[in-house]
Amino acid sequence: MDKIINSANAPDPVGPYPHARKVGNLLFLSGVGPRKKGSKEIPGVTLDENKKIVAYNIEEQCHAVFQNVKYVLEASGSSWENLIDITVYLTNMKDDFQVFNKIYTTYFPDKATQPCRTTVEVNALPTPIAIELKCIALIY
C-alpha cells in the first residue's frame, strides 16, 4: 500500500512534496530541517536584513531537526527506534561534523540499533539552515 503522510506538528514543506510516503513497510521522509511549525523562525539562526545568515548555532538546529523528524515519524505511525537509514546534509562539514556526531550519539546511544548513515556537505539548502535530514524508517 502506498500512502502520503503529513504531520500537523512538523513545519510545512517548502516545496510541493509530502512529509513522508509509506510504501509497503518502508517510510520515506522528505528532507527535514529545523524550522518551526507556523513560523519563519529557524532555531539557532540569526539573519541580516537581506535574510542572509549572520550566525547560527548548529546544536540548536540539530535538536530542532531531530524533533521535526520525530513529529513526522509519529504522524506516520512509526517511531524513532524504527529509523534504518539517515542521510545528513551539512552546509559546513569542517565546523559542524564533530558537533553533530556528539549530539547524534545522544539520540542514538545504542550502537547495535543505530541506523545506517551518510553525511555530505552541500553548498546550500532551500532555506537558511545548516542541516537537513533525509530518513528511511520501518513502519508496521
Side-chain angles (χ1 to χ4, degrees), residues 8-23:
N9 296 318
D12 295 332
V14 296
Y17 54 85
H19 284 134
R21 186 173 194 136
K22 179 185 182 288
V23 180

Side-chain angles (χ1 to χ4, degrees), residues 17-122:
Y17 54 85
H19 284 134
R21 186 173 194 136
K22 179 185 182 288
V23 180
N25 69 333
L26 293 176
L27 181 68
F28 299 88
L29 277 66
S30 295
V32 178
R35 293 178 303 115
K36 289 194 176 247
K37 171 78 174 175
S39 170
K40 295 195 185 279
E41 177 189 350
I42 301 170
V45 175
T46 303
L47 301 174
D48 67 13
E49 62 276 353
N50 297 317
K51 299 193 187 226
K52 301 285 185 193
I53 299 173
V54 174
Y56 72 94
N57 180 315
I58 192 64
E59 291 184 32
E60 285 183 51
Q61 287 196 43
C62 288
H63 291 295
V65 77
F66 286 144
Q67 180 59 62
N68 286 338
V69 166
K70 286 181 179 182
Y71 287 148
V72 176
L73 291 169
E74 290 166 3
S76 304
S78 190
S79 66
W80 191 254
E81 296 75 25
N82 289 344
L83 284 166
I84 57 172
D85 189 65
I86 299 174
T87 302
V88 182
Y89 300 93
L90 296 174
T91 60
N92 187 340
M93 187 76 74
K94 182 180 175 221
D95 291 342
D96 298 340
F97 185 68
Q98 294 214 351
V99 174
F100 175 78
N101 278 335
K102 180 181 155 199
I103 294 167
Y104 186 87
T105 59
T106 66
Y107 284 84
F108 297 101
D110 184 0
K111 289 183 180 184
T113 59
Q114 289 175 339
C116 293
R117 192 183 103 191
T118 301
T119 306
V120 295
E121 181 178 59
V122 295

